[in-house]
Amino acid sequence: MTKPDHVLFFGTCLIDLVLPSAGLAGMRLIEREGVRVRFPQDQTCCGQPAYNAGEREEARHVARHQLDVLSGEEPIVIPSASCAGMFKVHYPRLLADTPDADRARRLADRVVELCDFLDRVLAVRLTDRGPPVKVALHQSCSARREMKVAPAAARLLEQLSGVDIVEPDHAEECCGFGGTFAVKEPEISAAMASDKARSVAATGAPLLLSQECGCLTNLSGTAGHLKLGYETRHIAEFLWERTQHD
C-alpha cells in the first residue's frame, strides 16, 4: 500500500464511548503526515459482539451497514486490531455465499490497523519531546495472531528516545477480556486479567500502553481493583502527546 491522499477512520465503539481522546489522537497523527482523514458519521459497531455471541444474522445486518457507510476506494484505518480483524478476516467469512460477498472482500482489502498504517504505510519519523518514562506494552491477541501487526507498535515506541519499553512476563497470553468471553466465563476472565495486571505491575512501569481499548478497559479496571498503581493509555494518545511541538 502506498501513501494515500486521504483515508476513512473507523472509530470503534469503545473509543466512541470510553476513550474518544485516543480516536482524536489517531486522526491527528495521520493528518500531521499530510493525509486527510474522513470520519463517516453513520458508522456504528463492527459487529463483533453479535458475531462472538453466535448471532450471525444480527452480525450480518451490522456488517452490511458498515459496507454501505465505508464504501469507496480509500484505506480504512482502525485504531483497534480486533475491530480491524473483524473487517478483514471475519466479514468475508460472514458474508460468503451472499450477494454482499464481493463487497466484503473489497472492504477487507482496504482495512489497515492504525499502528501498522503509521509504521508501514506512512513510515512516520517521531521526535520524542517528553520526559524519561518507563512503559509496559501490552499487545492484544488480535494484534499478535490475527492481524500480525504487533511489531508495528513496538517500532513506533522505539523511536522515542526518552521511553524505556518493557514487556511483562507471559506477554503473549490473553488479558481475559476476549469480548463476550468476559461475560460468558467471568471467573476465568477475572483470573486471567488479575494475572496479567500483576505481571504488568511487576515491571515497575507506571504506565501501560496498548493498541486495544478492550484490553485497556479490562486491565485498567483490574489494576484499579487490585490497587496496583499504574495508569493505562491507548498508544495513539501517548504517541501524540510525546511528539507535540511546544
Side-chain angles (χ1 to χ4, degrees):
M1 181 183 295
T2 58
K3 180 179 177 178
D5 294 326
H6 60 283
V7 300
L8 301 185
F9 195 88
F10 184 80
T12 84
C13 298
L14 284 176
I15 278 184
D16 180 38
L17 298 172
V18 181
L19 290 171
S21 57
L24 290 171
M27 289 187 278
R28 287 166 178 158
L29 286 165
I30 296 170
E31 289 177 334
R32 190 169 63 186
E33 301 300 313
V35 178
R36 185 165 60 87
V37 177
R38 185 164 68 87
F39 186 93
Q41 293 297 309
D42 292 334
Q43 63 180 270
T44 60
C45 178
C46 69
Q48 266 191 92
Y51 186 69
N52 290 342
E55 298 291 340
R56 293 295 192 266
E57 195 52 47
E58 181 61 28
R60 290 187 188 98
H61 175 74
V62 175
R64 290 185 178 108
H65 177 74
Q66 307 320 314
L67 292 180
D68 292 337
V69 171
L70 301 172
S71 63
E73 301 296 331
E74 59 268 69
I76 303 168
V77 181
I78 306 180
S80 161
S82 65
C83 295
M86 183 67 191
F87 281 124
K88 198 168 190 69
V89 177
H90 300 288
Y91 272 21
R93 296 173 180 172
L94 183 65
L95 295 170
D97 302 320
T98 76
D100 294 300
D102 287 341
R103 286 207 301 160
R105 286 193 292 270
R106 289 196 299 271
L107 182 140
D109 289 340
R110 296 162 53 210
V111 166
V112 57
E113 185 267 339
L114 174 63
C115 290
D116 186 40
F117 184 72
L118 294 172
D119 175 63
R120 178 175 56 86
V121 181
L122 299 186
V124 298
R125 292 296 174 261
L126 303 173
T127 300
D128 194 1
R129 300 179 185 278
V133 65
K134 178 189 286 189
V135 301
L137 176 60
H138 168 72
Q139 302 272 20
S140 71
C141 297
S142 296
R144 287 181 182 277
R145 290 180 273 278
E146 188 166 66
M147 292 296 291
K148 296 180 174 59
V149 295
R155 282 194 293 264
L156 291 170
L157 291 174
E158 286 166 359
Q159 294 187 42
L160 304 178
S161 58
V163 177
D164 178 18
I165 311 160
V166 295
E167 190 175 66
D169 288 340
H170 309 292
E172 295 188 358
E173 294 180 5
C174 178
C175 76
F177 181 63
T180 54
F181 173 77
V183 178
K184 295 175 182 177
E185 301 288 350
E187 293 182 357
I188 297 174
S189 174
M192 294 169 69
S194 177
D195 287 347
K196 179 67 72 172
R198 286 193 170 95
S199 71
V200 172
T203 67
L207 182 62
L208 171 66
L209 303 176
S210 181
Q211 75 283 78
E212 201 72 59
C213 288
C215 299
L216 287 172
T217 302
N218 190 34
L219 293 174
S220 177
T222 303
H225 176 71
L226 297 174
K227 296 180 172 57
L228 296 176
Y230 58 82
E231 297 180 358
T232 61
R233 193 167 302 155
H234 192 282
I235 190 173
E237 192 171 9
F238 181 77
L239 291 173
W240 178 253
E241 291 172 355
R242 297 285 302 194
T243 58
Q244 272 304 285
H245 296 277
D246 294 334

